[in-house]
Amino acid sequence: MSSENLPQSPEQQQLRKPRVAVVFGGRSSEHGISVVTAGAVLNAIDRTAYDVLPIGITADGRWALTADEPERMAITDRRMPDVSQLAESADGTVALSADPASREVTYTEPGAVPKALGEVDVVFPVLHGPYGEDGTLQGLLELSGVPYVGAGVLASAVGQDKEYMKRVFTSFGLPVGPYLVVRPREWDNDPSGARKRIVDFAGEHGWPLFIKPARAGSSIGITKVDDLSGLDEAIEEARRHDPKFLVESLLRGREIECGVLEFEDGPRASVPAEIPPVTSHDFYDFEAKYIDSASGIVPAPLTGEQTAEVQRLAVEAFEATSCEGLVRADFFLTEDGTFVINEINTLPGFTPISMYPRMWQESGVSYPELVDRLIQAALRRPTGLR
């Protein structure tokens, strides 16, 4: 076990700096990207201001004590890193106390007495997708009484489920594009009827369509379908990641993103960015985002009026979903000059090429300051109803 993670004496507990547990990895298909993001966050945390405890969650759900070695958390030869490669033991497990008065973290190995690792003051979760970004981890932290970076249980769940995200947006008057949802029971009981609904949708809105998992991110499982011949394969790919899937029509226009960050006086929007057409890919997919390092344009070449409008809509989306901490809001600027919101991401990527940190860098907030602001916002915020 690393010396940094050894138990602390009562005197050390009283004098210690705030302790940040960076939790990463997880059971979703975005496991590798989460590890990459954790490496960037660990590099950025000010070690003179905070103590850090890295906790990785393996692909099968084990909470593991990991080495504090960000350099081992990078993409290498187009391969994603994995928590199992970073764990200090193949069997040891980390557990957070369920007692809100404690916040104690313990480490256990088979046949050994559990070791107290001290208390955690705040959790910085960098898990993407289900079992981390969707409110499940946030619920656990609420039960444990530990403050954490980012959205709460409801906002995290809404932000993960594209169907209910769009329903919330619509109820608050935010513009969304045409879509339909196919739920697991419908597909299992009547696939031909579901397929007909999709074909009818294409007849109304035109091809191509985008078939995407309802509760996944990083463009994983998304397929652009140009005609009926590719539909079944695209549905199968989406359902590999989520039994519920969405069908969306193509919105012709420019892809614009905007970051929202919680300041002491409330949420503010960053300068927006534009995702230019990616000529080597059908759309801005996983490979384009993380493997081929496609670069967005920051700031986006918009008029002052357009910039103000997308910033306003981004903050409205943040407020409509009761978000906290941070959000990246993704839009289309359509050919008729209106903005349509595509989705929000409550825990956007923090990799070196990720758009959220780049937008805030251009807005005057450096990466280390961004990380610090998120931690401080979490420390100010109580757990429980708020």
Side-chain angles (χ1 to χ4, degrees):
M1 184 185 300
S2 300
S3 60
E4 293 89 342
N5 296 326
L6 290 175
Q8 296 176 317
S9 68
E11 293 78 11
Q12 289 173 314
Q13 288 280 344
Q14 290 178 356
L15 298 174
R16 66 178 175 81
K17 298 169 285 190
R19 201 163 194 218
V20 182
V22 178
V23 180
F24 61 96
R27 295 163 55 190
S28 83
S29 53
E30 298 173 79
H31 178 102
I33 286 301
S34 175
V35 179
V36 175
T37 300
V41 170
L42 288 168
N43 261 328
I45 292 179
D46 181 359
R47 303 307 176 96
T48 67
Y50 305 102
D51 286 327
V52 177
L53 179 67
I55 300 174
I57 301 178
T58 63
D60 60 3
R62 178 174 63 92
W63 287 47
L65 194 62
T66 65
D68 187 3
E69 299 175 2
E71 65 278 3
R72 296 174 56 197
M73 301 180 182
I75 300 171
T76 305
D77 296 328
R78 302 175 73 88
R79 293 195 304 270
M80 290 290 172
D82 191 280
V83 166
S84 62
Q85 302 163 355
L86 302 165
E88 296 199 349
S89 165
D91 302 307
T93 59
V94 174
L96 184 65
S97 172
D99 180 1
S102 171
R103 299 184 182 177
E104 185 78 27
V105 176
T106 57
Y107 177 74
T108 306
E109 291 189 271
V113 177
K115 299 176 182 178
L117 301 181
E119 291 189 347
V120 165
D121 297 288
V122 63
V123 169
F124 199 131
V126 291
L127 297 114
H128 303 304
Y131 313 110
E133 189 181 352
D134 59 350
T136 50
L137 176 66
Q138 290 74 13
L140 173 64
L141 296 174
E142 291 285 353
L143 287 172
S144 299
V146 180
Y148 53 92
V149 168
V153 176
L154 175 65
S156 296
V158 169
Q160 185 65 34
D161 191 312
K162 294 177 175 61
E163 175 192 359
Y164 290 100
M165 181 196 309
K166 291 176 185 291
R167 291 182 183 275
V168 170
F169 289 158
T170 300
S171 71
F172 277 82
L174 292 162
V176 302
Y179 72 98
L180 66 83
V181 180
V182 179
R183 295 179 174 173
R185 187 176 296 112
E186 177 185 6
W187 184 257
D188 293 339
N189 294 342
D190 186 14
S192 60
R195 193 178 291 104
K196 182 180 184 303
R197 277 212 305 135
I198 297 170
V199 173
D200 290 345
F201 179 84
E204 180 180 359
H205 300 287
W207 299 90
L209 302 177
F210 289 90
I211 312 296
K212 57 177 64 175
R215 294 161 291 195
S218 296
S219 299
I220 289 174
I222 299 177
T223 306
K224 180 183 177 184
V225 180
D226 293 314
D227 54 45
L228 190 60
S229 64
L231 182 59
D232 285 351
E233 185 178 350
I235 292 171
E236 183 178 342
E237 171 61 16
R239 282 174 53 83
R240 279 202 316 115
H241 302 278
D242 189 342
K244 180 168 77 169
F245 64 93
L246 265 68
V247 181
E248 295 179 350
S249 64
L250 173 68
L251 290 176
R252 302 188 185 279
R254 299 160 61 186
E255 291 190 50
I256 306 295
E257 298 184 349
C258 190
V260 180
L261 177 64
E262 181 182 341
F263 285 74
E264 290 82 355
D265 59 351
R268 302 182 198 171
S270 69
V271 300
E274 179 169 3
I275 307 300
V278 184
T279 56
S280 58
H281 299 263
D282 270 353
F283 60 99
Y284 193 48
D285 62 5
F286 179 87
E287 290 272 326
K289 284 181 179 179
Y290 297 111
I291 304 298
D292 294 337
S293 303
S295 296
I297 303 168
V298 188
L302 300 171
T303 66
E305 183 178 342
Q306 289 171 328
T307 295
E309 175 66 2
V310 75
Q311 289 175 325
R312 180 186 69 81
L313 290 171
V315 172
E316 282 195 13
F318 182 96
E319 298 282 30
T321 48
S322 299
C323 282
E324 295 165 302
L326 72 164
V327 148
R328 192 194 71 229
D330 301 343
F331 298 86
F332 291 102
L333 177 55
T334 61
E335 292 175 337
D336 66 2
T338 59
F339 283 102
V340 174
I341 187 164
N342 183 36
E343 61 183 62
I344 58 169
N345 194 313
T346 57
L347 281 174
F350 269 77
T351 69
I353 61 170
S354 294
M355 297 308 299
Y356 185 85
R358 290 184 58 198
M359 288 186 286
W360 279 108
Q361 177 78 38
E362 191 67 26
S363 304
V365 180
S366 68
Y367 193 101
E369 182 186 351
L370 177 61
V371 170
D372 185 70
R373 281 192 172 277
L374 289 169
I375 294 171
Q376 288 298 318
L379 287 169
R380 288 194 304 269
R381 189 186 313 129
T383 54
L385 297 177
R386 53 190 182 274

